[in-house]
Amino acid sequence: CCTPAAIAAGVQHRSEELQHDYDPNSNRDNFIFLVGSPDFRDERNVNALFAELALPISDTVNLQLAARHEDYGEIDSTDPKATVLWQPTDGLSFRGSIGTSFRAPSLYQSFGTQTTLTELVDPNVGAPQFFPVRSQPNPSGEPLQPEEADVFDVGVTWFAGDALEINLDYWSFDYTDVIIEQNAQAILNAAAGGDLQARSQVIRDPGSGLLLRVDAYFANASALETDGLDFRVAYDVPASGPSTYRVGLESTLVMSYDIDDPQAGRIDGAGRRNFAN
């Protein structure tokens, strides 16, 4: 009759460490153009629990239920997933899945500091120049939260004969709490408009008022919705003896890529890879 039900479960532990040790001149911000960066080092332990249940409903329908919990100390996330597979004939199958997913902030985003050069327009000057921008954790002490996503997928596979396989999938991701680095130009503009928080992030020479550095923090700020189609086709080409060659084609159509950014507003990003990013 049916395949018996099966369950799998497990635990996981991993340790992560990140360290940057710059030279003394970098630590003192002695470089005229590149300025410098402070040293930093941090680590974290991550513990996870996960389980998966395979539950045959009938000879043609299979259900899978899964869940994973990860604990990073100050932050954690629990994410379930359900998948169903229906195979009415040997040559045709339908599938669907729904669940949630997450991406934890990296050690660099949570603890790291780095200074880079960025072309900015200082409102006090009015002409574009390169200025140092220091990326660093938010000094408020609030830990970054994991990026969360609602995930949905439906698909079909057709075995057209013994050699040809055709797959089509529709997928959708809805992200919240996307981690971004603040835009340095937006910080400068806000500071010029009197924003006190932005002013604290703009470092100027006390005597001349010249711009020395802009501090930009990482934060959970944006949302992102995207969906599209995946198409895959493969053909098995018999060769001499028991060998078989497989040739195929894969293609993805991104139908939407809509970003809600706290500084840039609503962005239609489909087909505009990193445009004016």
Side-chain angles (χ1 to χ4, degrees), residues 24-243:
N25 281 314
S26 292
N27 295 156
R28 299 187 185 101
D29 289 344
N30 282 345
F31 293 105
I32 295 175
F33 197 51
L34 297 174
V35 183
S37 290
D39 298 337
F40 67 88
R41 176 191 178 279
D42 221 306
E43 60 185 21
R44 67 185 175 191
N45 294 314
V46 185
N47 297 302
L49 302 171
F50 54 89
E52 183 174 350
L53 172 66
L55 186 63
I57 304 300
S58 68
D59 289 339
T60 60
V61 179
N62 286 274
L63 175 67
Q64 286 189 332
L65 302 174
R68 183 180 182 90
H69 175 78
E70 287 212 1
D71 187 345
Y72 287 76
E74 292 185 313
I75 58 174
D76 62 84
S77 182
T78 300
D79 295 275
K81 181 180 180 181
T83 303
V84 64
L85 174 66
W86 176 40
Q87 192 168 4
T89 68
D90 290 340
L92 186 65
S93 64
F94 300 90
R95 59 189 170 273
S97 67
I98 188 170
T100 64
S101 184
F102 78 99
R103 180 172 60 186
S106 67
L107 277 173
Y108 171 69
Q109 291 172 329
S110 297
F111 311 113
T113 302
Q114 188 175 30
T115 307
T116 57
L117 289 173
T118 302
E119 187 177 25
L120 303 171
V121 176
D122 181 359
N124 293 354
V125 177
Q129 302 177 51
F130 281 93
F131 294 102
V133 176
R134 180 160 293 172
S135 308
Q136 55 188 312
N138 195 317
S140 68
E142 290 289 332
L144 289 172
Q145 298 301 309
E147 298 178 352
E148 299 283 351
D150 294 324
V151 183
F152 174 74
D153 179 275
V154 290
V156 58
T157 298
W158 178 39
F159 295 95
D162 296 332
L164 181 63
E165 176 186 332
I166 300 173
N167 292 271
L168 180 65
D169 283 87
Y170 168 80
W171 47 264
S172 171
F173 294 86
D174 184 359
Y175 295 93
T176 55
D177 289 334
V178 177
I179 299 171
I180 68 166
E181 181 183 349
Q182 293 175 317
N183 183 282
Q185 185 62 62
I187 294 172
L188 276 174
N189 296 342
D195 186 280
L196 295 180
Q197 175 59 47
R199 284 186 174 182
S200 70
Q201 296 174 238
V202 175
I203 313 302
R204 296 186 178 275
D205 182 272
S208 65
L210 293 176
L211 180 61
L212 301 179
R213 190 182 79 229
V214 178
D215 290 340
Y217 307 141
F218 289 101
N220 295 99
S222 295
L224 167 63
E225 296 178 2
T226 180
D227 70 341
L229 296 172
D230 285 343
F231 174 75
R232 301 182 301 280
V233 60
Y235 188 79
D236 294 327
V237 182
S240 58
S243 301

